[in-house]
Amino acid sequence: ILLVMAFLISPMGLPLAAIWLGKGDRKHAERILGSGTCLLVIFTVLLMAVFYGFLRPFLYMFGASDATIGYAMDYMYIYLLGTLFVELALGLNPFIISQGRSRIAMISIVIGAVVNIALDPLFIFVFGWGVKGAAIATVLSQAVSAAWNVKFLMSPKSSLRLSLCHVRPSFRIMWQICSLGISPFIMRSTESLISIVLNRGLQIYGGDLYVGSLTIMQSVLQLFSAPLSGFTQGVQPIISYNYGAGNFDRVKKLYRSMIGISFAISFTANLTAMIFPGAYAALFTNDRELIGLVSKVIQEAGAAQGFDEVEVFQSNHEGSIVDKIQEAYGKVDGIVINPAAYTHTSVAILDALKAVAIPAVEVHISAVETREDFRQVSYARLACFATITGEGLKGYAHALELLKEHLEK
């Protein structure tokens, strides 16, 4: 929610300023920058007041539990003090990019990240400040990024100058900015509301593990959306400038190119997430149960889009079976396995099933419990939540039903 203001004001103030630059009116473009900055500060102060007044209920709405509320409160009380730095760091960065100074804009982000990475272990572990130390490190890193942006935009090197005389309310300009920004503002606001509903529901019906899985999925989404957002933000001022200059043919060409490239990036990113969900989840946690849950959720999202299949594999070689189980990690929701005679001897298959931590059902065509004594030992069963014996080939269908019921739970 705090970041919504930056996405309302700067991306919409930026194309408006670029349109006037295209018209050849630099002074008015600078007034738009100043009024946009003023509007950013006003909204930031209002949001800080609201969040400080209702912080605890807000955190519960976003999925905090009794076990995590203390940490969340400690972090947010400090983080909110630096909200203005966050807004200025994110909100002013696009105005630097629009000048073709992508290197300067990138340095703004990089120095903030470097400072945060350097201060986190110092404050958390060396000084023993814990989660409060993480919040302080974040605030200081954002302050450095914000200072970098403001310094550049007020310097002679900036072709679009931020002047203190322009940082004042202009209701006409503010109305134009809000008019352009209302659509993305509503989109991002509803995303925040959806996040509240999801986190609250997951906390009630699933617990911290499920809230953690949603957080990881949102982080995976950011891996894809951040580069795409950067691309579209880079194209925005070019389109706006040409629109202001009356180059409508170039505007249409840029629109077509942007849509094509954005679709290609989105499709490729979603496809790789469906194929390798476990690998993406492992970037953010080493908790096998959490990785398994994230993999399941991502694949269910893919199934809703038509990515759904049952793969059949058969081999008489133990190593091939182990390889197939390991390949299934992060790729399938469940395993139905008939290890045949290997069930009585193969520790390797047992270890593979345990390692991937995928829900599994053991199947035997015959009723092995009525056969020889040595067949009463099953290593694979130790890694399966159910075993079906003596149902012939129908046992496989029964196993799929059990697997479906287990996954639905």
Side-chain angles (χ1 to χ4, degrees), residues 9-19 21 32 93-99 160 177 233-234 236-237 240:
I9 296 166
S10 70
M12 295 306 105
L14 172 59
L16 189 62
I19 288 173
L21 284 174
I32 292 171
N93 200 271
F95 287 97
I96 300 176
I97 296 173
S98 68
Q99 302 175 37
L160 187 64
I177 292 174
Q233 285 185 19
Q236 264 188 354
S240 301

Side-chain angles (χ1 to χ4, degrees), residues 181-228:
I182 192 64
S183 177
F185 173 76
I186 291 174
M187 290 174 62
R188 292 188 177 274
S189 297
T190 51
E191 286 176 5
S192 296
L193 291 174
I194 291 171
S195 180
I196 292 173
V197 173
L198 286 175
N199 276 291
R200 188 60 180 159
L202 290 172
Q203 185 62 57
I204 294 172
Y205 299 107
D208 291 336
L209 182 68
Y210 282 74
V211 174
S213 72
L214 178 62
T215 301
I216 290 176
M217 288 185 64
Q218 291 171 334
S219 300
V220 172
L221 177 62
Q222 287 183 346
L223 285 177
F224 305 142
S225 62
L228 186 60

Side-chain angles (χ1 to χ4, degrees), residues 205-270:
Y205 299 107
D208 291 336
L209 182 68
Y210 282 74
V211 174
S213 72
L214 178 62
T215 301
I216 290 176
M217 288 185 64
Q218 291 171 334
S219 300
V220 172
L221 177 62
Q222 287 183 346
L223 285 177
F224 305 142
S225 62
L228 186 60
S229 177
F231 167 70
T232 54
Q233 285 185 19
V235 173
Q236 264 188 354
I238 301 174
I239 293 176
S240 301
Y241 183 91
N242 281 277
Y243 180 84
N247 299 325
F248 301 121
D249 288 338
R250 175 175 281 189
V251 170
K252 293 177 182 178
K253 182 178 179 181
L254 285 168
Y255 263 123
R256 287 193 292 267
S257 299
M258 182 179 69
I259 292 172
I261 294 173
S262 298
F263 175 79
I265 294 174
S266 300
F267 179 80
T268 304
N270 281 305

Side-chain angles (χ1 to χ4, degrees), residues 304-354:
Q305 301 180 44
F307 295 97
D308 200 6
E309 64 177 5
V310 175
E311 181 181 357
V312 179
F313 173 79
Q314 191 277 332
S315 176
N316 293 323
H317 303 284
E318 181 183 30
S320 298
I321 298 172
V322 170
D323 289 342
K324 194 63 179 177
I325 294 172
Q326 292 172 339
E327 290 172 9
Y329 176 66
K331 295 181 180 180
V332 303
D333 288 325
I335 295 174
V336 174
I337 183 169
N338 183 345
Y342 284 126
T343 195
H344 314 302
T345 61
S346 181
V347 176
I349 291 177
L350 168 63
D351 288 344
L353 288 170
K354 284 185 174 181

Side-chain angles (χ1 to χ4, degrees), residues 39 47 53 122 161 177 209 236 243 255 286 387:
L39 187 59
L47 272 178
L122 181 65
R161 297 283 295 276
I177 292 174
L209 182 68
Q236 264 188 354
Y243 180 84
Y255 263 123
N286 56 6
T387 298

Side-chain angles (χ1 to χ4, degrees), residues 362-380:
E362 179 189 28
V363 175
H364 293 285
I365 295 175
S366 64
V368 291
E369 64 274 10
T370 64
R371 300 176 64 184
E372 301 93 330
D373 290 342
F374 70 86
R375 296 188 187 276
Q376 307 311 307
V377 176
S378 173
Y379 286 97

Side-chain angles (χ1 to χ4, degrees), residues 88-150:
L88 291 176
L90 295 177
L92 296 181
N93 200 271
F95 287 97
I96 300 176
I97 296 173
S98 68
Q99 302 175 37
R101 310 300 290 269
S102 56
R103 179 173 172 272
I104 300 295
M106 180 185 69
I107 292 175
S108 164
I109 302 299
V110 170
I111 58 175
V114 170
V115 170
N116 203 345
I117 292 172
L119 293 181
D120 265 340
L122 181 65
F123 290 170
I124 295 172
F125 302 113
V126 177
F127 293 167
W129 294 345
V131 71
K132 293 181 179 179
I136 295 171
T138 301
V139 169
L140 292 178
S141 65
Q142 293 295 344
V144 171
S145 293
W148 177 276
N149 287 346
V150 173

